Amino acid sequence: MATSAIDQKDKDETGTNISEADKEKDTKSDTSTKSVLEQAAETLASIREFDQKWNDMERKFQSLCEIAFQSLSLYGSASHSTIPVKLTEKEKLAVLGGNPTVKELSSRLASNQYNKVMIMVGAGLSVSAGIPDFRTPGSGLYSNLQKYNLPTPESVFDLEYFKANPKPFCKLAQELFPGQIKPTVGHCFIKLLQDKGMLKRCYTQNIDGLERLVGVKEELLVEAHGGFSTASCIKCKKSADINEVKQTLFNGKVPFCQSCEGLVKPDIVFFGESLPEAFSRLYREDTSGCDLLVVMGTSLQVAPFCNLVNQVQQTVPRLLINKEAVGPFKALNDSNYRDVCLLSECDAGAEMVCELAGWKEYLQKVKDSLLDHWKK
C-alpha cells in the first residue's frame, strides 16, 4: 500500500511511526529539561549571592565584635579598675581645694602642678577654622549631604556602604582633605602645653590633621578616628601612597589597590572598622597616669572615645571647654569637687584659661610662630 506524504513525515529516521502524543511528550520533555537547567542556574546564582552576603555579614560581625571588645575593655581590667572608690573629704579637698572653678584650675596650671595633661578634642575645636562639626542641625556635616543621595547621612562613613558605592565618600573626601585651613587658637593651646612639657597625650576625634599642622608631636598624638596622613587598601590592608590617592580623588576617580585591585581610602576610621592600634595600646597608661583631663569641643557621644572621660582617676580634675555641658559634666551638683565647666567656644575658653594662668604672652608667641610658618 502506498504511503502518503503526511504518513512519511510522521516517521522517524528508522521508519517508525511517531504519534502526535509522542511528539507532544518529547516537546514537554525538552521544555522540562530546559526549565530544570534554568532553575539549577538560578539556584546556583542564589547560593553564590547568599555565600557572598554571608561572608560580608561575617566580616562585619567580626569587626563589630572588635569594636565592642574595645569599648568593653574601657570599663576596666585587673590592672585598670574603674570601680568607684569612696574618697575621703580630705582627698576631695586636695583636688581643687574645694573650689572647682576655672580660676582655681588655671592658678594650679600656672604653678606647674600639672605635668601629665591628657586632652580629648572633637569637631568643635576646628569649627573656627571653617570646618563644620558633624551633628549641629543646619550647619553640621551630616545636615549637608543631601546631594549624595545617601540612605542616611552616616552612610558616607559606613564601610559596607563604601564597598557597595564608594563614589559619595570619594567626592566628599575632596572637601575634607587637609589643605589651606589653619589651626585654631584652641590648637595653639595644645601646642603651648606641649612646649611647656605638660602634655601627656592628645586624643582627637578629628580627621582634619590640624593637631599635626600646629606641631603636636606624633608620639603625643592619638588620632582615634584616623586621618588623611596615610591610606591603605580595605581588602589586603597594604599601604598606598597618600599623595597618589589624593591625586586620584581630586581627578574625580575611585582609587584602587595596585596589588589586589581592592578599594583604597585614606586611613580614617569608618563605622564597622576598629580604632587605630595606638588607641588600644595607650589609653590605659594615659587615663591612669594623667594628672589633669581637658575636654574640648566634643559631644562625648561616640564610643569608645567618649568612655575615656570616665576612666581617669577620681583624684584627677576634669576641665570641659565646650558650648554646652556634655557627658558627666551635665550632672554637676554641690557634691562636685573636681569638674570645671567653661561653657564657651573653644578658642575663647582656651584664651581665658591662658590669661588666668598668666600665659597670654606664651599663647601669642605660639600663634605668631604658627603664622610665620604658614607664610613660608
Side-chain angles (χ1 to χ4, degrees):
M1 184 174 65
T3 303
S4 68
I6 295 176
D7 290 338
Q8 187 65 39
K9 288 181 181 179
D10 287 343
K11 289 184 179 182
D12 63 11
E13 293 178 354
T14 62
T16 306
N17 286 329
I18 302 173
S19 68
E20 290 297 329
D22 288 338
K23 288 194 290 183
E24 185 178 350
K25 183 178 180 181
D26 289 343
T27 301
K28 288 183 177 180
S29 178
D30 290 342
T31 303
S32 177
T33 301
K34 185 178 179 181
S35 177
V36 169
L37 289 174
E38 288 177 346
Q39 290 178 12
E42 291 174 358
T43 302
L44 182 60
S46 297
I47 290 173
R48 287 174 177 168
E49 183 180 1
F50 175 80
D51 187 52
Q52 181 62 45
K53 288 182 178 180
W54 178 264
N55 290 335
D56 289 342
M57 288 173 61
E58 186 176 33
R59 283 193 293 270
K60 189 169 186 179
F61 177 73
Q62 289 174 346
S63 179
L64 290 172
C65 283
E66 289 179 12
I67 294 171
F69 288 141
Q70 280 183 332
S71 186
L72 286 172
S73 68
L74 287 174
Y75 288 97
S77 65
S79 61
H80 187 66
S81 174
T82 60
I83 300 174
V85 177
K86 189 173 182 179
L87 299 181
T88 65
E89 290 304 313
K90 183 178 180 180
E91 288 172 323
K92 290 181 180 179
L93 192 64
V95 177
L96 284 174
N99 185 26
T101 63
V102 178
K103 185 176 181 180
E104 176 64 23
L105 189 144
S106 300
S107 174
R108 292 181 178 232
L109 271 173
S111 60
N112 298 315
Q113 291 192 31
Y114 308 119
N115 57 19
K116 296 178 182 178
V117 181
M118 176 177 166
I119 297 181
M120 296 172 60
V121 301
L125 183 67
S126 299
V127 169
S128 64
I131 301 174
D133 63 13
F134 283 83
R135 291 177 172 78
T136 299
S139 62
L141 179 66
Y142 285 156
S143 295
N144 294 281
L145 296 175
Q146 296 90 343
K147 58 185 176 182
Y148 298 113
N149 296 317
L150 301 165
T152 67
E154 292 82 359
S155 296
V156 74
F157 295 119
D158 183 273
L159 187 62
E160 295 305 315
Y161 186 81
F162 177 72
K163 290 176 182 177
N165 184 14
K167 289 185 178 179
F169 170 76
C170 290
K171 290 180 181 177
L172 179 63
Q174 297 178 36
E175 302 176 30
L176 298 178
F177 237 102
Q180 297 302 309
I181 297 174
K182 300 177 185 178
T184 67
V185 174
H187 291 99
C188 291
F189 174 58
I190 301 172
K191 177 64 162 53
L192 182 154
L193 291 175
Q194 175 183 278
D195 292 348
K196 286 183 168 292
M198 293 180 170
L199 182 64
K200 182 171 180 61
R201 205 91 61 195
C202 174
Y203 285 75
T204 177
Q205 292 176 289
N206 298 335
I207 59 175
D208 52 42
L210 293 184
E211 294 84 9
R212 289 176 179 269
L213 285 177
V214 82
V216 176
K217 297 175 182 177
E218 186 157 356
E219 63 267 26
L220 298 182
L221 178 64
V222 175
E223 294 172 314
H225 294 167
F228 284 89
S229 60
T230 59
S232 60
C233 172
I234 67 171
K235 185 177 180 181
C236 72
K237 309 303 180 184
K238 185 177 180 179
S239 296
D241 186 298
I242 187 61
N243 293 318
E244 291 181 4
V245 172
K246 180 179 180 180
Q247 189 62 51
T248 301
L249 290 170
F250 277 78
N251 286 338
K253 299 178 181 179
V254 176
F256 289 94
C257 180
Q258 296 178 0
S259 297
C260 72
E261 298 185 353
L263 289 166
V264 170
K265 69 174 181 64
D267 290 327
I268 62 174
V269 179
F270 277 20
F271 296 111
E273 289 187 301
S274 301
L275 268 60
E277 177 271 339
F279 182 91
S280 301
R281 175 168 48 86
L282 294 170
Y283 82 84
R284 285 190 178 89
E285 171 193 334
D286 294 338
T287 53
S288 63
C290 69
D291 52 19
L292 171 65
L293 176 66
V294 179
V295 181
M296 302 175 69
T298 172
S299 62
L300 291 179
Q301 291 183 5
V302 180
F305 182 90
C306 65
N307 297 327
L308 294 176
V309 71
N310 292 317
Q311 302 307 303
V312 300
Q313 301 296 317
Q314 289 177 269
T315 53
V316 171
R318 303 184 297 191
L319 168 65
L320 174 71
I321 302 177
N322 204 48
K323 289 200 298 183
E324 58 185 8
V326 293
F329 298 93
K330 290 192 293 186
L332 301 186
N333 52 41
D334 292 340
S335 64
N336 172 46
Y337 64 93
R338 65 162 174 167
D339 290 333
V340 178
C341 249
L342 177 46
L343 301 184
S344 73
E345 301 286 349
C346 291
D347 289 353
E351 287 178 331
M352 180 183 294
V353 170
C354 287
E355 185 167 355
L356 291 172
W359 293 349
K360 189 174 180 179
E361 291 184 6
Y362 286 107
L363 182 63
Q364 188 60 49
K365 285 181 181 178
V366 175
K367 290 161 63 177
D368 291 343
S369 176
L370 177 65
L371 185 61
D372 291 341
H373 174 76
W374 205 259
K375 287 179 179 178
K376 295 177 183 178

